[in-house]
Amino acid sequence: MSRAKRIAVIPGDGIGKEVTPEGVKVLESACAVTGQELSFNYFDWGADRFLKDGTTLPADAPQMLQRDFDVILFGAVGDPRVPLNQHAADILLGLRFKLDLYVNARPCALFDRRLTPLRDRSEQDVNFIVFRENTEGAYAGVGGNFKQGTADEVAVQEDVNTRKGVERIIRYALDYARRKGLKRVCMSDKSNAMTYGHGLWQRVWKEMKEEYKEVETRHLFVDTLMMELVRDPSQFQAIVTCNMFGDIASDLGAQLSGGLGLAPSGNIHPGKVSLFEPIHGSAPNIAGKNAANPMGSALAGAMMLEYLELEREAELIRDAARAAVREKKTTVDLGGQLGTREAGDWIAERISKRGLAGAGA
Ligand SMILES: NC(=O)c1ccc[n+]([C@@H]2O[C@H](COP(=O)([O-])OP(=O)(O)OC[C@H]3O[C@@H](n4cnc5c(N)ncnc54)[C@H](O)[C@@H]3O)[C@@H](O)[C@H]2O)c1
């Protein structure tokens, strides 16, 4: 048996504090089946802590996480009591940038055809993964305002693209396709309009795809990608793109595959401590009501286990989540009647039962 996997847990704000315990419960249940040990350490970074003593992300946090943990399970941050949500940007963007988590992986897999808003589409038609560059692009925070508040105001927001940044995300997507036996990878940019920054994406893509002859590679401008994703999502298996377009494409993908409540994501730096989270925010409108869907957190846990090469445990979680959707043992957003805790319990118990059945077989 391999040693205990060390997991840092950051529940954050709002429903992050409700769904994360369910994610932990489900992880424990899956690992109990195989005997894999997990250790959890909790960090209270979020709005309550910020309002109490001004702490957002402690200065030594990135080094400490890198040193003492294998992975991070994150909830969500954002609280209406904090002006401009400064704490949230410090914590989440701080972790993404300071841990150099350059891959944002967002699987979009439809578990049950009744959950997609597309007509006549089935589980086979919506099953792709978006790889979003996660450390630069338009979200690098480079820019400024000039003559702010006047009629002559100028606002500049730079789109930062480095060769290193573009190369490593494209390589990650192509390697992933090779590893998983996927046939098709689509790179998307807007190089017809953003000729300098996205011209770099074009050049790198053309060079790099030559190394992956077994993968069918395709390029689409991002506006065409959006149309094609809605018209026929079955064309896509993996999409790689910049920070902003990946943000948008993956939210569209989340809706095509059942909504925010069940969409997970991984913020990854291969070989280093990486962070897994549901893609939804802190949802202040439903926080504290035991109404939030915990499935995004549970499936983020499955991604985390896969990252730790615990494939069997990850599949146990995905199987149980699929069963919950099929049998409507879910929260209201997916057509069920369960509360957050009860939906988490159902998934955890399903996993235990499968584990017992497996042991007896
Ligand atoms: N990664 C993050 O931490 C993250 C991501 C997005 C937004 N935010 C922050 O969260 C706060 C709220 O943002 P928002 O309202 O735009 O987005 P949101 O994702 O929190 O909520 C959008 C809508 O989806 C619903 N929803 C979200 N998650 C759900 C779940 N698990 N189950 C059922 N319904 C769910 C909400 O009730 C709401 O109606 C803001 O402060 C925002 O900055 C944080």
Side-chain angles (χ1 to χ4, degrees), residues 111-126:
F111 281 179
D112 189 297
R113 62 189 64 194
R114 83 186 149 77
L115 297 181
T116 186
L118 298 181
R119 196 181 54 223
D120 300 333
R121 290 289 172 193
S122 68
E123 295 79 354
Q124 290 75 34
D125 295 321
V126 186

mmCIF file of all heavy atoms in Angstrom, residues 111-126:
data_model
loop_
_atom_site.group_PDB
_atom_site.id
_atom_site.type_symbol
_atom_site.label_atom_id
_atom_site.label_comp_id
_atom_site.label_asym_id
_atom_site.label_seq_id
_atom_site.Cartn_x
_atom_site.Cartn_y
_atom_site.Cartn_z
ATOM 1 N N PHE A 111 -23.768 13.037 -18.363
ATOM 2 C CA PHE A 111 -24.065 11.785 -17.662
ATOM 3 C C PHE A 111 -25.435 11.218 -18.040
ATOM 4 O O PHE A 111 -25.672 10.038 -17.908
ATOM 5 C CB PHE A 111 -24.038 12.008 -16.150
ATOM 6 C CG PHE A 111 -22.652 12.055 -15.560
ATOM 7 C CD1 PHE A 111 -22.475 12.278 -14.206
ATOM 8 C CD2 PHE A 111 -21.536 11.883 -16.349
ATOM 9 C CE1 PHE A 111 -21.206 12.326 -13.651
ATOM 10 C CE2 PHE A 111 -20.254 11.926 -15.812
ATOM 11 C CZ PHE A 111 -20.091 12.149 -14.461
ATOM 12 N N ASP A 112 -26.344 12.118 -18.445
ATOM 13 C CA ASP A 112 -27.693 11.649 -18.764
ATOM 14 C C ASP A 112 -28.298 12.629 -19.766
ATOM 15 O O ASP A 112 -28.261 13.843 -19.548
ATOM 16 C CB ASP A 112 -28.547 11.614 -17.492
ATOM 17 C CG ASP A 112 -29.875 10.940 -17.727
ATOM 18 O OD1 ASP A 112 -30.673 11.451 -18.542
ATOM 19 O OD2 ASP A 112 -30.125 9.893 -17.111
ATOM 20 N N ARG A 113 -28.866 12.077 -20.842
ATOM 21 C CA ARG A 113 -29.289 12.948 -21.944
ATOM 22 C C ARG A 113 -30.344 13.976 -21.540
ATOM 23 O O ARG A 113 -30.460 15.015 -22.166
ATOM 24 C CB ARG A 113 -29.763 12.127 -23.144
ATOM 25 C CG ARG A 113 -30.966 11.242 -22.874
ATOM 26 C CD ARG A 113 -31.213 10.324 -24.040
ATOM 27 N NE ARG A 113 -30.093 9.394 -24.208
ATOM 28 C CZ ARG A 113 -29.898 8.653 -25.299
ATOM 29 N NH1 ARG A 113 -30.723 8.721 -26.297
ATOM 30 N NH2 ARG A 113 -28.876 7.822 -25.350
ATOM 31 N N ARG A 114 -31.097 13.696 -20.485
ATOM 32 C CA ARG A 114 -32.124 14.678 -20.122
ATOM 33 C C ARG A 114 -31.516 15.961 -19.560
ATOM 34 O O ARG A 114 -32.191 16.968 -19.414
ATOM 35 C CB ARG A 114 -33.157 14.052 -19.183
ATOM 36 C CG ARG A 114 -32.783 14.015 -17.753
ATOM 37 C CD ARG A 114 -33.753 13.267 -16.886
ATOM 38 N NE ARG A 114 -33.044 12.673 -15.783
ATOM 39 C CZ ARG A 114 -32.628 13.337 -14.705
ATOM 40 N NH1 ARG A 114 -32.909 14.608 -14.562
ATOM 41 N NH2 ARG A 114 -31.943 12.733 -13.759
ATOM 42 N N LEU A 115 -30.228 15.961 -19.244
ATOM 43 C CA LEU A 115 -29.607 17.152 -18.649
ATOM 44 C C LEU A 115 -29.063 18.144 -19.671
ATOM 45 O O LEU A 115 -28.684 19.250 -19.319
ATOM 46 C CB LEU A 115 -28.472 16.749 -17.710
ATOM 47 C CG LEU A 115 -28.852 15.926 -16.489
ATOM 48 C CD1 LEU A 115 -27.613 15.643 -15.646
ATOM 49 C CD2 LEU A 115 -29.915 16.621 -15.654
ATOM 50 N N THR A 116 -28.975 17.756 -20.941
ATOM 51 C CA THR A 116 -28.421 18.714 -21.900
ATOM 52 C C THR A 116 -29.540 19.568 -22.500
ATOM 53 O O THR A 116 -30.630 19.050 -22.796
ATOM 54 C CB THR A 116 -27.600 18.018 -23.023
ATOM 55 O OG1 THR A 116 -27.004 19.034 -23.819
ATOM 56 C CG2 THR A 116 -28.436 17.089 -23.871
ATOM 57 N N PRO A 117 -29.267 20.858 -22.703
ATOM 58 C CA PRO A 117 -30.282 21.695 -23.339
ATOM 59 C C PRO A 117 -30.361 21.461 -24.852
ATOM 60 O O PRO A 117 -31.260 21.984 -25.515
ATOM 61 C CB PRO A 117 -29.799 23.120 -23.037
ATOM 62 C CG PRO A 117 -28.330 23.006 -22.788
ATOM 63 C CD PRO A 117 -28.096 21.628 -22.255
ATOM 64 N N LEU A 118 -29.453 20.661 -25.405
ATOM 65 C CA LEU A 118 -29.475 20.408 -26.855
ATOM 66 C C LEU A 118 -30.493 19.323 -27.188
ATOM 67 O O LEU A 118 -30.583 18.315 -26.485
ATOM 68 C CB LEU A 118 -28.093 19.965 -27.344
ATOM 69 C CG LEU A 118 -26.948 20.969 -27.165
ATOM 70 C CD1 LEU A 118 -25.654 20.377 -27.713
ATOM 71 C CD2 LEU A 118 -27.265 22.297 -27.834
ATOM 72 N N ARG A 119 -31.200 19.522 -28.285
ATOM 73 C CA ARG A 119 -32.218 18.552 -28.698
ATOM 74 C C ARG A 119 -31.547 17.334 -29.342
ATOM 75 O O ARG A 119 -30.585 17.474 -30.084
ATOM 76 C CB ARG A 119 -33.158 19.242 -29.700
ATOM 77 C CG ARG A 119 -34.478 18.521 -29.930
ATOM 78 C CD ARG A 119 -35.317 19.265 -30.939
ATOM 79 N NE ARG A 119 -34.566 19.499 -32.171
ATOM 80 C CZ ARG A 119 -34.566 20.644 -32.835
ATOM 81 N NH1 ARG A 119 -35.247 21.662 -32.417
ATOM 82 N NH2 ARG A 119 -33.854 20.782 -33.953
ATOM 83 N N ASP A 120 -32.072 16.172 -29.062
ATOM 84 C CA ASP A 120 -31.628 14.928 -29.710
ATOM 85 C C ASP A 120 -30.135 14.643 -29.541
ATOM 86 O O ASP A 120 -29.494 14.135 -30.453
ATOM 87 C CB ASP A 120 -31.951 14.965 -31.225
ATOM 88 C CG ASP A 120 -33.435 15.112 -31.473
ATOM 89 O OD1 ASP A 120 -34.214 14.682 -30.607
ATOM 90 O OD2 ASP A 120 -33.804 15.686 -32.507
ATOM 91 N N ARG A 121 -29.584 15.020 -28.419
ATOM 92 C CA ARG A 121 -28.174 14.711 -28.169
ATOM 93 C C ARG A 121 -28.061 13.738 -27.004
ATOM 94 O O ARG A 121 -28.817 13.852 -26.024
ATOM 95 C CB ARG A 121 -27.382 15.973 -27.844
ATOM 96 C CG ARG A 121 -27.212 16.891 -29.031
ATOM 97 C CD ARG A 121 -26.250 16.284 -30.030
ATOM 98 N NE ARG A 121 -26.217 17.057 -31.262
ATOM 99 C CZ ARG A 121 -25.653 16.611 -32.376
ATOM 100 N NH1 ARG A 121 -25.109 15.416 -32.420
ATOM 101 N NH2 ARG A 121 -25.642 17.358 -33.452
ATOM 102 N N SER A 122 -27.118 12.805 -27.108
ATOM 103 C CA SER A 122 -27.007 11.777 -26.073
ATOM 104 C C SER A 122 -25.638 11.861 -25.396
ATOM 105 O O SER A 122 -24.804 12.703 -25.744
ATOM 106 C CB SER A 122 -27.191 10.399 -26.708
ATOM 107 O OG SER A 122 -26.083 10.164 -27.541
ATOM 108 N N GLU A 123 -25.431 10.933 -24.451
ATOM 109 C CA GLU A 123 -24.194 10.894 -23.669
ATOM 110 C C GLU A 123 -22.960 10.793 -24.578
ATOM 111 O O GLU A 123 -21.921 11.382 -24.285
ATOM 112 C CB GLU A 123 -24.206 9.705 -22.696
ATOM 113 C CG GLU A 123 -25.264 9.772 -21.604
ATOM 114 C CD GLU A 123 -26.665 9.365 -22.072
ATOM 115 O OE1 GLU A 123 -26.867 9.123 -23.292
ATOM 116 O OE2 GLU A 123 -27.565 9.294 -21.227
ATOM 117 N N GLN A 124 -23.108 10.085 -25.702
ATOM 118 C CA GLN A 124 -21.954 9.910 -26.603
ATOM 119 C C GLN A 124 -21.596 11.210 -27.323
ATOM 120 O O GLN A 124 -20.472 11.400 -27.771
ATOM 121 C CB GLN A 124 -22.239 8.845 -27.686
ATOM 122 C CG GLN A 124 -22.308 7.420 -27.184
ATOM 123 C CD GLN A 124 -23.609 7.148 -26.441
ATOM 124 O OE1 GLN A 124 -24.659 7.695 -26.786
ATOM 125 N NE2 GLN A 124 -23.547 6.348 -25.396
ATOM 126 N N ASP A 125 -22.572 12.103 -27.438
ATOM 127 C CA ASP A 125 -22.342 13.322 -28.230
ATOM 128 C C ASP A 125 -21.611 14.411 -27.452
ATOM 129 O O ASP A 125 -21.023 15.312 -28.062
ATOM 130 C CB ASP A 125 -23.683 13.904 -28.714
ATOM 131 C CG ASP A 125 -24.382 12.967 -29.668
ATOM 132 O OD1 ASP A 125 -23.680 12.356 -30.484
ATOM 133 O OD2 ASP A 125 -25.623 12.850 -29.590
ATOM 134 N N VAL A 126 -21.744 14.392 -26.138
ATOM 135 C CA VAL A 126 -21.113 15.453 -25.344
ATOM 136 C C VAL A 126 -20.114 14.799 -24.404
ATOM 137 O O VAL A 126 -20.465 14.311 -23.322
ATOM 138 C CB VAL A 126 -22.164 16.254 -24.533
ATOM 139 C CG1 VAL A 126 -21.491 17.446 -23.843
ATOM 140 C CG2 VAL A 126 -23.312 16.714 -25.411
#
